[in-house]
Amino acid sequence: MKNEEMYVIVFESTHYAIAGESLLKNKGYKFNVIPTPREITHSCGLSIKFNSDDLENIEENMKYANILIKGIYKIQKIATNKVVEQIG
Amino acid sequence: MNKEIDARGMDCPLPVIHTKKALESMHNGKIITIVDNEVAKENVSKLAKSMELNTEIKENQGNFYIEIFKEEPVGTTSLESLDIECGINPTKDLVILISQDKFGEGSEELGTLLMKSYLYALTEVNPYPKSILLLNGGVKLAIEDSETLEHLRELESNGVEVLSCGLCLDYFKIKDKLAVGGITNMYAIVEKMNNASNTIKL
């Protein structure tokens, strides 16, 4: 079974998600746009999944650009279960 | 008579083959097959079901203990008729036709993000589709530097057939940039859609 760990930013709105995406793209970060995981919210949202190494830098960037986020979450997949923890 | 088959670490379809042999050689009693993955669990369950035997499955620390009860002699079953899946992710007889590089209409900016988000989600949800056919602007998803390349590659490495329309790649002059999957033509596209039990068009 593969155990994975991923970091996800959830935004205050889709417009902030779009702004966040283009900001990180311009800065050359490696990330994925993903549907907000169901474990965080059931509503249809866009989130950004990124590498743990970039956690602090990305958080700073969002703050500096005034992009409002709902939270940063660490999601661990253990076998078929997902464990969600808010870390920012 | 009870028998235990430790099929942990065995490659697919060996757990099924060993269980089948044991069941056929046994008059009545119980067999416990131990497997360490979901696919093997499903396959062994299918076998028992096809022989109309009752099963009980227990999970413990990532291992599945499949108990199969044989009360009376039953007919044999052929492995071919079982439709054993050996892929990492079982695929469904589903074809997805993607005819643009954006998902939906209304906003191109949003559509681009939705397509990325859709293809990511596709890698996360089982069962996987059998084929993904890329047509018209959809072929742009499969070329070098496309932001969805990673997801399409992941799907392909899990046995999903990814095919781009050759004519479309030609039209956009990006045939030499195709970076995942193969090239196909309209006859193959028609065949695949007609033969699928379900086709989704984006």
Side-chain angles (χ1 to χ4, degrees):
Chain A
M1 291 281 170
K2 69 177 179 183
N3 292 348
E4 274 178 53
E5 194 177 273
M6 61 187 205
Y7 288 83
V8 172
I9 305 183
V10 179
F11 296 88
E12 278 293 345
S13 74
T14 305
H15 289 279
Y16 284 122
I18 293 173
E21 194 256 2
S22 69
L23 176 74
L24 295 185
K25 194 151 67 175
N26 290 336
K27 300 234 174 204
Y29 284 103
K30 210 180 141 18
F31 63 94
N32 275 312
V33 175
I34 67 165
T36 305
R38 280 181 284 213
E39 292 77 9
I40 300 175
T41 168
H42 279 282
S43 63
C44 170
L46 289 174
S47 295
I48 283 176
K49 175 182 147 202
F50 58 94
N51 292 327
S52 59
D53 305 343
D54 297 327
L55 176 62
E56 279 171 31
N57 287 333
I58 287 182
E59 207 173 358
E60 279 297 305
N61 271 307
M62 294 296 158
K63 243 181 230 159
Y64 193 72
N66 279 325
I67 294 171
L68 298 186
I69 60 173
K70 257 196 194 123
I72 298 180
Y73 298 83
K74 179 171 145 185
I75 300 175
Q76 281 173 298
K77 258 197 229 171
I78 300 161
T80 47
N81 293 323
K82 282 185 184 171
V83 181
V84 180
E85 183 191 342
Q86 183 163 5
I87 53 170
Chain B
M1 186 176 120
N2 287 351
K3 200 175 170 186
E4 186 179 288
I5 299 165
D6 190 349
R8 285 175 289 190
M10 280 187 195
D11 287 333
C12 181
L14 286 177
V16 181
I17 293 175
H18 286 283
T19 309
K20 184 174 178 289
K21 272 192 192 146
L23 281 169
E24 282 167 1
S25 67
M26 171 188 271
H27 190 67
N28 61 43
K30 181 172 86 172
I31 283 182
I32 304 179
T33 300
I34 311 168
V35 297
D36 55 10
N37 65 81
E38 195 83 28
V39 174
K41 183 196 78 174
E42 286 304 315
N43 287 337
V44 173
S45 305
K46 266 187 207 167
L47 169 77
K49 205 175 163 195
S50 77
M51 295 171 89
E52 292 174 3
L53 299 173
N54 289 326
T55 56
E56 213 176 293
I57 301 172
K58 291 182 186 122
E59 191 186 346
N60 188 13
Q61 295 182 330
N63 294 320
F64 297 100
Y65 296 78
I66 310 156
E67 298 183 358
I68 306 172
F69 304 94
K70 185 169 176 182
E71 274 136 29
E72 53 192 44
V74 287
T76 56
T77 181
S78 77
L79 276 185
E80 290 72 41
S81 67
L82 281 180
D83 187 24
I84 298 291
E85 289 280 359
C86 282
I88 304 166
N89 291 287
T91 53
K92 203 176 162 182
D93 189 13
L94 163 69
V95 169
I96 298 178
L97 174 73
I98 302 180
S99 61
Q100 48 182 346
D101 57 348
K102 297 167 184 70
F103 195 167
E105 285 156 37
S107 156
E108 295 214 340
E109 185 183 42
L110 182 61
T112 304
L113 286 182
L114 290 176
M115 185 58 87
K116 282 192 247 179
S117 161
Y118 172 76
L119 288 172
Y120 169 81
L122 210 50
T123 67
E124 288 281 301
V125 176
N126 276 325
Y128 279 9
K130 196 161 112 193
S131 315
I132 295 177
L133 307 175
L134 304 170
L135 188 92
N136 208 330
V139 298
K140 292 179 191 166
L141 298 168
I143 62 167
E144 282 165 25
D145 300 325
S146 147
E147 290 174 76
T148 51
L149 198 54
E150 186 189 332
H151 308 319
L152 289 172
R153 282 191 171 144
E154 163 131 24
L155 290 163
E156 189 185 39
S157 70
N158 281 299
V160 178
E161 176 181 51
V162 178
L163 293 170
S164 291
C165 144
L167 165 78
C168 312
L169 289 164
D170 257 347
Y171 178 87
F172 292 111
K173 301 193 171 61
I174 49 175
K175 205 167 193 166
D176 54 333
K177 294 205 173 87
L178 185 70
V180 60
I183 293 180
T184 190
N185 61 43
M186 193 57 86
Y187 293 107
I189 292 175
V190 168
E191 275 168 15
K192 286 188 190 301
M193 291 201 291
N194 288 0
N195 290 330
S197 55
N198 191 9
T199 298
I200 293 173
K201 185 222 160 211
L202 298 190

